[in-house]
Amino acid sequence: MSSLRALTLFFLAAFAAAAVLAGYLTYAASRAAVVSAVDRRIGEVGDAMLSAVAPGDSRTILRRIDAFSRRRDTGDIGFELEDARGRRVGGNVVLERTLPLGFTTLRRRDGIVGLSAGRAQSRDAGGGLRLITIAETEPIDGYRATRVRLYLIGFGTLLAVVLAGTASFGWIVRRRIGEVRATAAAIIDGDLTRRVPVPARGGAFADQAVAFNRALDRIAALVEQLRGVSSDVAHDLRTPLARLRARLARLAERPTVSGEELEAVLAACDELLALFAAILRIAEVSAGERRAGFRPIDLAGLAEQACETLAAAATERGQRLSGGPFTPFMVRGDPQLLSQALLNLIENALYHTPAGTSVTVTLEREGATTVLGVRDDGPGIPAAARALALRRFGQLETSRHRPGHGLGLPLVEAVARLHGGTLTLADAAPGLAVVMALRMEA
């Protein structure tokens, strides 16, 4: 939280500095514009005063100054005519110091009556004379102070609004971070149901909360799966390990061992090794280590090959397997994993349905997604039991006494998730429809 406070203070200081700099630059720019306009007017008036005047003709210049001073619209313009020694010859103002040629800024300390700030131009009038033209840069008393006050009010209000907005934003961010921290603390304490509150008005914080909660949902599901897997592994391994131990104990009591008995023991060992190999295979796929070898694949070709491979097995079981030819659909993935997933889906449909069942493989396109379906007209799976069928070691009651460990569909689901797809179970009315949806190759 201290780092957030430090970052907030840094941005506040940076904006305050930027606002002060912008205010100063605005003030300086307006001041420069006023000075430029005044200098231009001084130059034009000085040109008009000396036009068609003989060099050194002080009488004509003073007469023009007197005539100019009588005009009502020239009260902010003053003149002083000086000789070569800087002594005053005449004019309507009195300067207390000698000015250099060119433009000079005047202040109140220059002692010109009625002038708080102004500009003066000293130019050669010929014959050793100098004409000094003076104009006010502050048209009214206190104009500079008023301008400064307006800038302070304008930029001060802007700065106050930004400070208030930044403080409010900091408070909102701290509150959101506090909610995330409280949720994380609750999860650390064992409450896996705790979630980050989602703002009702939506926005970036709501999107972040939704994404965070989805991650927590996934973590909770994985933890629950891990608990279930641990229980199921213990349950499923207890019986074959007990049988294996009993057989080994009987063999140890006999002086001679027959080949059939040894083969039975080896078959039991192979069954256990196959179980652990399946578990490791699912873990490898779930970890995403195979994504490095992804390449464009024609899913239609893999589906047709899987149908051809299992056609004879379906015929032997008295079942009908149909599928293909399919329209080519390109996806990006691992051909070995996808081929194994297709074989598992078809084998699962053949294995869990009786003789006379029809199994159909379909491949269609839905937008940017390729949808592979394996449908049968067998007994199907009740909707309440489909989640169990997708869980590792999640065998249904009707399959408890049949060989297998319930890892086929979980492996296919892991393959689908690895490829950014989904695996769903649906009612084929009658039978079961297993649908794997994958993104098409762009």
Side-chain angles (χ1 to χ4, degrees):
M1 192 64 68
S2 59
S3 60
L4 176 62
R5 185 180 294 107
L7 184 62
T8 302
L9 292 176
F10 170 77
F11 279 111
L12 285 176
F15 182 83
V20 171
L21 179 61
Y24 172 77
L25 292 177
T26 302
Y27 172 78
S30 63
R31 173 67 182 174
V34 171
V35 169
S36 176
V38 171
D39 287 351
R40 186 166 56 252
R41 186 182 182 198
I42 288 174
E44 292 173 354
V45 171
D47 292 340
M49 194 63 63
L50 296 179
S51 63
V53 176
D57 188 356
S58 60
R59 292 184 179 180
T60 302
I61 294 175
L62 292 175
R63 189 168 56 251
R64 288 188 174 183
I65 290 175
D66 183 63
F68 187 87
S69 301
R70 294 194 184 99
R71 292 167 53 184
R72 294 184 177 181
D73 60 344
T74 59
D76 60 336
I77 299 293
F79 302 94
E80 182 178 85
L81 188 63
E82 298 178 351
D83 60 15
R85 296 183 180 181
R87 293 177 298 185
R88 184 175 186 278
V89 176
N92 57 0
V93 298
V94 178
L95 284 172
E96 295 183 356
R97 64 186 175 106
T98 302
L99 302 180
L101 291 175
F103 289 96
T104 304
T105 298
L106 300 179
R107 296 287 185 263
R108 189 182 300 275
R109 62 176 177 271
D110 289 314
I112 301 176
V113 179
L115 182 70
S116 58
R119 295 280 288 174
Q121 181 190 38
S122 177
R123 63 166 66 194
D124 186 6
L129 298 177
R130 282 189 179 185
L131 177 64
I132 300 173
T133 308
I134 302 169
E136 290 181 323
T137 55
E138 303 292 343
I140 58 175
D141 292 338
Y143 173 71
R144 179 181 180 183
T146 301
R147 189 167 67 244
V148 171
R149 186 166 58 253
L150 290 175
Y151 288 143
L152 289 177
I153 292 173
F155 283 94
T157 302
L158 176 62
L159 182 60
V161 170
V162 172
L163 290 177
T166 305
S168 300
F169 178 75
W171 176 79
I172 293 174
V173 171
R174 285 194 299 271
R175 189 181 69 177
R176 299 302 180 196
I177 291 177
E179 293 172 348
V180 174
R181 185 173 62 249
T183 302
I187 290 174
I188 292 173
D189 291 337
D191 183 9
L192 296 181
T193 62
R194 183 74 172 268
R195 295 295 181 266
V196 179
V198 179
R201 296 183 178 180
F205 289 114
D207 294 341
Q208 182 189 32
V210 170
F212 194 79
N213 289 339
R214 289 181 60 190
L216 293 178
D217 291 340
R218 178 62 179 157
I219 292 173
L222 291 176
V223 171
E224 186 62 28
Q225 284 184 8
L226 182 59
R227 292 173 180 171
V229 166
S230 300
S231 176
D232 292 336
V233 167
H235 182 275
D236 282 23
L237 289 183
R238 181 173 56 189
T239 300
L241 284 175
R243 290 175 180 173
L244 179 60
R245 186 186 183 286
R247 287 180 178 178
L248 290 175
R250 287 195 299 269
L251 292 179
E253 294 175 354
R254 299 178 183 179
T256 59
V257 180
S258 66
E260 291 183 2
E261 291 173 327
L262 286 176
E263 289 180 0
V265 171
L266 289 175
C269 292
D270 290 340
E271 181 183 358
L272 291 174
L273 290 174
L275 171 62
F276 282 107
I279 296 174
L280 293 175
R281 184 68 164 168
I282 295 176
E284 176 191 5
V285 173
S286 300
E289 298 174 357
R290 301 290 292 268
R291 285 196 179 96
F294 278 17
R295 60 182 177 83
I297 303 167
D298 181 12
L299 192 60
L302 294 181
E304 292 173 359
Q305 183 178 2
C307 291
E308 293 175 1
T309 301
L310 296 175
T315 301
E316 290 178 2
R317 294 177 57 85
Q319 298 167 318
R320 295 179 297 277
L321 174 61
S322 61
F326 304 112
T327 303
F329 290 115
M330 301 300 295
V331 298
R332 188 171 186 82
D334 186 307
Q336 183 179 359
L337 290 179
L338 289 175
S339 178
Q340 181 179 354
L342 295 176
L343 291 172
N344 280 10
L345 288 179
I346 299 174
E347 286 178 344
N348 190 75
L350 295 175
Y351 184 74
H352 292 284
T353 55
T357 301
S358 296
V359 177
T360 305
V361 180
T362 60
L363 186 62
E364 301 171 345
R365 175 176 180 174
E366 293 183 2
T369 304
T370 300
V371 179
L372 175 79
V374 178
R375 294 174 170 81
D376 62 67
D377 55 2
I381 299 177
R386 290 169 191 165
L388 176 62
L390 291 175
R391 200 182 76 185
R392 299 180 191 181
F393 300 99
Q395 290 182 301
L396 305 180
E397 289 299 326
T398 55
S399 303
R400 277 289 177 185
H401 304 291
R402 309 176 75 177
H405 301 284
L407 295 177
L409 287 179
L411 176 60
V412 177
E413 185 185 30
V415 172
R417 189 182 301 112
L418 177 70
H419 290 78
T422 59
L423 182 72
T424 56
L425 306 183
D427 189 0
L432 178 69
V434 184
V435 180
M436 183 170 63
L438 301 175
R439 291 194 302 265
M440 293 186 62
E441 173 74 354

